[in-house]
Amino acid sequence: MSTEVIKVTINGKEFEVPKGARLIDVCRDKAFDIPSFCYYSDLALQASCRMCLVRIEKMPKLQTSCTIICTDGMIVTTQSDEIEKAQRSMLEFLLANHPLDCPVCDRGGECELQEMTFDWGGLEERFTEKKNYQPERYLSPMVANDPQRCILCKRCTRVCDEWMGEDAIEAGGRGANTVIGTYGGWLDCSQCGNCIEVCPTGTLLDGTYRHQARPWELTQTISTCTYCSDGCQMSLGSRGDELMRIVARDRYVNGLNGEFLCIKGRFGHPFVNHEARIRTPMIRYKKGGKLIPTTWDEAIIHVAGKLDAIVDEHGRDSLGVIGSPRITNEANYLLYKFATELVGTTNYAVTDTASLKPFFDSLGGSLATHRDIRYATTILLIGGEPEELQPLTGKQIRQAVRNGGAKLIVVNSSPIRLTEQSSQFLHIRPGAEVAAVVALARDADETLAAGKLGVEARELQSLRQTITDTQGDLVVMFSTELSGTAQAVLAQLPYALRADGRRVLLHPLPRYNNSVGAHDMGLNDGSKSVTQMLDDAGETIRAIYLAGSFLPEHLHGREDALSKLDFLVVQELFETDTTAFADVVLPAASFAETDGTFTNNDGFVQRVRQVIPPVHQSKSDWMITAQLAAELGMDFGFELSASAVFNEIAERIPAYAGLRYPVLKDESNPVQAKYRIAEQRELAPELNTLRDAVEALSDTADKLSVTPPVGHELFKIGTLTDKVPQFHLLAEGNPRPDTVRVSPLYQITVDENLRQETAVAAD
Ligand code: SF4
Ligand code: SF4
Ligand code: SF4
Ligand code: FES
């Protein structure tokens, strides 16, 4: 928006507003209420509900404020008898065909139509004609639908198209019989549920939660998603000790994601209260024997005794301490402290898919926030598939292009869905991303890189030209599966690519909700990686203390590593392939049962809040570590609160200096960690290493020509998503049931064997 300022008078008061501002936004910003149904900030205009009427001087009739751009000297009235009469009439029209069934509607109590009707008061229904009847139905396992409640605001179709790029629902039928429906009668999409979230009425509903609770029964607690590194803010609705639902509806929460959530954030929570949660601490007294339930005291004494004995006999480095990219900063920090201050082992790590250490050690510019992505001029995406793995980032990219005119350059071996939005797609050979990094960093390697990438040199020149032409923000984002050396070179790119009028921001795409935080807590600084520790199991590594479980890729090819350990202690929510070898299993609390923080891929340090009491006998991971440390003779001094742990993090970790929980309280104003910006340095050694790697790449490998289907990552069944019955239907291809009137869960039997075969993802 322009920095030029103009003057507008609203209800007799004069305001200075930016030139180009939209009248409805200005009125709301200045605290003048404007009713609306179809207007939705940052979506294409619909202008169909006519609720946002205002009077503008010198204009002949009432105007829709959502369609008006402010002009200098504009004089506006937002409240008058004339305006109220018109708005009341519009509401009466909307209700003409709407069933008056609020008491049985799942949206009752948080419905915008209901709220507006009550707010106006005294509305009478003068239409006596028979209302259109439309039966309730399911559009998919996740989305339930009561078509007769629809007011045709088309927020749902616009978010599906503009946020998700899916265009999976559309208005069908004519006139009074128009309904929102699917193509082909069944919803084949990413099942994000954003159409449900933005629907102002009870037309689109959460099919997994429907009829289970009323909104006023729920306690709403704002917290951070536990799945991917985007760190969406969400409202967790609990009733008693049970987590009932998750929404992002901004009447409850106003975070970096607005009303956006993906399928995992919105629907992936039933693991929290699942009956398979580990109930008590358990000890396997004899290798190969059974895990026997025990008390916390007994388990802690047992673990402390064993670890003490092993360290005494084999030395400090014989114990590996391994944190998790899924648990809080507080929990990972205490594991780091346990390893370095109490045990004194150099073997500590985190069960992530990649280490972020090379990237952060060489960081040459700021991290891009999701807002920066939305308003970027150019976005360069190297590898990765954010629409499946970091869906909020995917949505921001899409909106930057569609609603903001940004240029997107995709460098990928697959024609991923985001290529539909790209201005340039470098379709490269599988595994050749490193060649793109080399070409960006050193012109001299362009010919070699082009050959290995399988693209023309002019395609690389065009990429370079787009960067040179960029005025505004260039966001470079990349999959963290790239080698460490390639990440270090990428991290220094801001020095090479920035120019007058051009900022270069970096956006890594790590896999997990707290990949960045686990790095920040120091767990990537150990002398051995997770796989190196597993390779040394039974030799130099005799025992492992682990929060969470190993990833399938860690154990792949090392299936016997865990059985070689003298002692394995695991903090977990569920029994897994890792706990099957554990000598002690300690029940850990989920994200909904603990306080703490996660750090997302923007570097935002965001609060995780306890929503329900710990399930069964579980405890927060940080508390377990503190208890174990106390038994081993070191009092961490954090008996009472996660905030005390965080205060120590803020004292010891420079990027978190000055942070406190109260500073992180407001999710609408997230706080970014202050990462040290590394100086520009000579990259020749790294580039020579990368050049060797590029030379070793194939010249002939076939490119992947098929666009991966929607949900191929999102619908994978892992330890957590396994606990959501609807995910199994999606993993089986989202079969259409015989009738759409009854939930497909009651009509389709899930094949248990298939469930096992697909159980490879870590979520
Ligand atoms: S669930 Fe998401 S992708 Fe599917 S129709 Fe709704 S908005 Fe579109
Ligand atoms: S289904 Fe909801 S969001 Fe979509 S047009 Fe109807 S009322 Fe609007
Ligand atoms: S995009 Fe990531 S953080 Fe947001 S809801 Fe989905 S999984 Fe959670
Ligand atoms: S909000 Fe302006 S016409 Fe609907």
Side-chain angles (χ1 to χ4, degrees):
M1 195 168 300
S2 161
T3 48
E4 204 181 317
V5 166
I6 55 170
K7 287 188 175 156
V8 175
T9 302
I10 305 172
N11 296 342
K13 284 189 190 159
E14 191 176 87
F15 300 98
E16 290 194 336
V17 303
K19 189 176 178 191
R22 191 167 293 282
L23 182 56
I24 189 169
D25 293 335
V26 167
C27 291
R28 287 175 170 175
D29 187 48
K30 305 299 175 198
F32 298 108
D33 185 40
I34 301 278
S36 71
F37 286 117
C38 70
Y39 179 66
Y40 198 99
S41 178
D42 217 17
L43 284 184
L45 276 182
Q46 180 69 20
S48 60
C49 75
R50 300 192 62 79
M51 285 300 294
C52 62
L53 296 169
V54 294
R55 165 67 65 192
I56 299 175
E57 216 171 270
K58 297 189 184 143
M59 287 193 167
K61 49 187 181 162
L62 295 178
Q63 300 293 319
T64 47
S65 58
C66 68
T67 58
I68 300 284
I69 300 298
C70 293
T71 53
D72 196 27
M74 186 178 258
I75 298 175
V76 182
T77 304
T78 67
Q79 279 175 336
S80 68
D81 290 346
E82 175 200 29
I83 294 169
E84 181 175 332
K85 187 172 174 216
Q87 286 167 331
R88 278 174 173 275
S89 304
M90 291 318 303
L91 202 51
E92 192 180 349
F93 274 123
L94 288 176
L95 289 171
N97 216 6
H98 194 92
L100 298 181
D101 63 352
C102 301
V104 295
C105 172
D106 240 30
R107 191 74 93 208
E110 50 187 6
C111 166
E112 292 177 39
L113 182 62
Q114 184 189 43
E115 194 169 303
M116 217 175 286
T117 307
F118 274 81
D119 280 355
W120 285 117
L123 275 177
E124 59 177 316
E125 199 179 6
R126 286 174 290 176
F127 290 93
T128 52
E129 286 78 7
K130 194 165 173 287
K131 297 186 191 241
N132 274 343
Y133 171 70
Q134 300 273 355
E136 295 181 19
R137 58 187 176 171
Y138 281 81
L139 301 184
S140 78
M142 306 315 202
V143 185
N145 175 220
D146 190 340
Q148 50 184 354
R149 298 187 186 133
C150 182
I151 57 171
L152 291 174
C153 66
K154 292 200 178 175
R155 289 189 197 175
C156 55
T157 57
R158 283 176 287 155
V159 296
C160 188
D161 188 15
E162 295 175 39
W163 290 4
M164 307 310 296
E166 302 201 39
D167 204 8
I169 44 174
E170 197 37 272
R174 283 164 184 253
N177 294 315
T178 308
V179 288
I180 296 296
T182 61
Y183 299 98
W186 194 240
L187 202 47
D188 260 327
C189 65
S190 66
Q191 313 289 335
C192 65
N194 287 314
C195 49
I196 301 169
E197 187 91 50
V198 299
C199 179
T201 67
T203 311
L204 297 174
L205 296 165
D206 179 341
T208 70
Y209 151 87
R210 195 181 192 196
H211 300 322
Q212 290 186 33
R214 308 311 313 254
W216 53 88
E217 295 178 296
L218 301 181
T219 303
Q220 308 284 352
T221 309
I222 298 168
S223 195
T224 304
C225 180
T226 192
Y227 281 100
C228 89
S229 62
D230 278 337
C232 289
Q233 296 298 285
M234 45 180 37
S235 173
L236 283 73
S238 58
R239 186 173 62 187
D241 292 352
E242 200 177 349
L243 176 58
M244 303 298 294
R245 71 162 190 189
I246 289 180
V247 295
R249 199 158 298 131
D250 70 3
R251 69 172 67 190
Y252 305 119
V253 50
N254 190 15
L256 75 165
N257 46 308
E259 293 193 293
F260 173 93
L261 289 177
C262 78
I263 177 174
K264 286 186 180 168
R266 187 184 308 282
F267 300 113
H269 57 80
F271 71 87
V272 170
N273 289 101
H274 197 271
E275 58 182 10
R277 283 285 296 272
I278 297 171
R279 289 166 186 253
T280 67
M282 294 183 286
I283 299 177
R284 197 187 314 272
Y285 290 95
K286 191 175 81 169
K287 289 278 180 198
K290 280 190 171 166
L291 282 167
I292 310 291
T294 187
T295 62
W296 270 106
D297 285 350
E298 173 65 26
I300 293 290
I301 291 168
H302 183 81
V303 173
K306 289 280 187 187
L307 295 186
D308 224 6
I310 289 170
V311 169
D312 268 358
E313 188 179 345
H314 299 284
R316 296 172 186 278
D317 280 346
S318 65
L319 173 61
V321 178
I322 303 181
S324 163
R326 315 299 303 258
I327 61 177
T328 60
N329 288 325
E330 290 72 1
N332 279 319
Y333 174 73
L334 284 203
L335 286 164
Y336 173 79
K337 190 176 165 90
F338 185 93
T340 54
E341 291 180 26
L342 195 160
V343 180
T345 176
T346 60
N347 291 321
Y348 49 90
V350 57
T351 48
D352 209 334
T353 51
S355 169
L356 290 164
K357 186 172 168 54
F359 172 72
F360 278 106
D361 283 354
S362 298
L363 189 67
S366 301
L367 295 188
T369 66
H370 284 87
R371 191 171 191 287
D372 292 329
I373 297 169
R374 165 64 185 86
Y375 294 101
T377 308
T378 304
I379 299 168
L380 172 60
L381 170 64
I382 303 175
E385 196 179 3
E387 59 270 56
E388 292 280 320
L389 297 170
Q390 295 85 9
L392 173 63
T393 296
K395 174 246 178 194
Q396 295 300 90
I397 297 174
R398 215 172 278 115
Q399 277 205 287
V401 176
R402 296 189 53 143
N403 305 61
K407 284 197 168 161
L408 170 65
I409 307 167
V410 176
V411 180
N412 205 299
S413 56
S414 285
I416 57 171
R417 277 186 292 132
L418 271 174
T419 56
E420 288 166 17
Q421 262 78 47
S422 66
S423 56
Q424 191 184 359
F425 171 37
L426 264 77
H427 194 180
I428 64 171
R429 296 198 174 100
E433 288 82 359
V434 61
V437 176
V438 170
L440 271 172
R442 191 158 69 185
D443 296 7
D445 290 323
E446 187 177 278
T447 310
L448 169 74
K452 298 294 183 176
L453 288 163
V455 302
E456 303 285 334
R458 64 177 165 75
E459 293 181 72
L460 288 172
Q461 285 150 16
S462 160
L463 184 162
R464 214 180 275 284
Q465 191 60 48
T466 305
I467 291 173
T468 309
D469 292 344
T470 298
Q471 283 292 303
D473 283 353
L474 163 68
V475 176
V476 180
M477 54 176 79
F478 57 93
S479 157
T480 52
E481 318 294 317
L482 277 174
S483 73
T485 315
Q487 287 191 46
V489 170
L490 270 174
Q492 285 272 302
L493 277 184
Y495 287 114
L497 302 182
R498 71 188 178 192
D500 274 353
R502 184 191 318 136
R503 244 185 357 159
V504 181
L505 301 165
L506 298 164
H507 192 74
L509 295 169
R511 185 71 193 269
Y512 297 107
N513 54 312
N514 204 25
S515 292
V516 175
H519 163 79
D520 295 346
M521 296 305 112
L523 285 171
N524 282 326
D525 298 339
S527 52
K528 284 193 175 124
S529 67
V530 169
T531 49
Q532 284 168 335
M533 281 194 235
L534 289 172
D535 287 339
D536 293 345
E539 292 168 21
T540 53
I541 299 289
R542 313 297 302 198
I544 287 179
Y545 170 30
L546 171 72
S549 288
F550 292 105
L551 301 179
E553 55 252 59
H554 292 141
L555 295 175
H556 184 69
R558 301 178 185 85
E559 284 75 11
D560 59 346
L562 298 183
S563 56
K564 290 184 190 165
L565 290 167
D566 295 350
F567 193 63
L568 174 63
V569 52
V570 181
Q571 294 171 191
E572 248 300 2
L573 277 70
F574 297 100
E575 295 199 31
T576 64
D577 289 351
T578 301
T579 63
F581 292 92
D583 298 282
V584 177
V585 177
L586 303 171
S590 76
F591 84 118
E593 300 145 55
T594 193
D595 279 318
T597 51
F598 294 151
T599 307
N600 79 344
N601 50 24
D602 299 346
F604 285 150
V605 186
Q606 303 190 104
R607 287 293 316 274
V608 177
R609 293 186 175 86
Q610 182 174 354
V611 178
I612 56 171
V615 170
H616 305 304
Q617 290 187 34
S618 61
K619 291 190 182 194
S620 297
D621 287 278
W622 72 266
M623 282 187 192
I624 302 174
T625 306
Q627 204 174 336
L628 189 53
E631 188 61 32
L632 284 163
M634 186 179 275
D635 180 6
F636 283 173
F638 305 130
E639 299 257 309
L640 291 177
S641 73
S643 58
V645 184
F646 190 77
N647 289 351
E648 186 169 306
I649 292 173
E651 274 165 28
R652 301 250 186 118
I653 296 176
Y656 289 60
L659 298 187
R660 291 284 182 273
Y661 278 5
V663 178
L664 308 177
K665 200 171 177 177
D666 177 8
E667 80 284 354
S668 66
N669 195 13
V671 181
Q672 201 174 33
K674 298 179 212 72
Y675 294 106
R676 188 183 70 85
I677 301 295
E679 287 181 2
Q680 184 172 20
R681 62 179 160 76
E682 180 53 56
L683 290 173
E686 280 104 331
L687 282 168
N688 290 340
T689 306
L690 288 184
R691 190 187 159 93
D692 291 345
V694 170
E695 276 176 344
L697 290 172
S698 160
D699 292 315
T700 52
D702 286 337
K703 296 179 185 178
L704 308 171
S705 57
V706 179
T707 297
V710 171
H712 75 105
E713 286 290 341
L714 282 169
F715 301 163
K716 270 186 182 167
I717 305 294
T719 305
L720 304 185
T721 50
D722 174 57
K723 311 302 181 292
V724 190
Q726 288 86 353
F727 267 78
H728 292 278
L729 291 173
L730 299 175
E732 288 193 48
N734 189 14
R736 192 189 156 141
D738 290 339
T739 168
V740 293
R741 306 277 158 79
V742 179
S743 166
L745 274 187
Y746 301 113
Q747 302 181 59
I748 298 168
T749 308
V750 175
D751 176 349
E752 294 285 336
N753 295 324
L754 186 71
R755 190 182 298 190
Q756 289 308 314
E757 280 167 29
T758 53
V760 290
D763 289 338

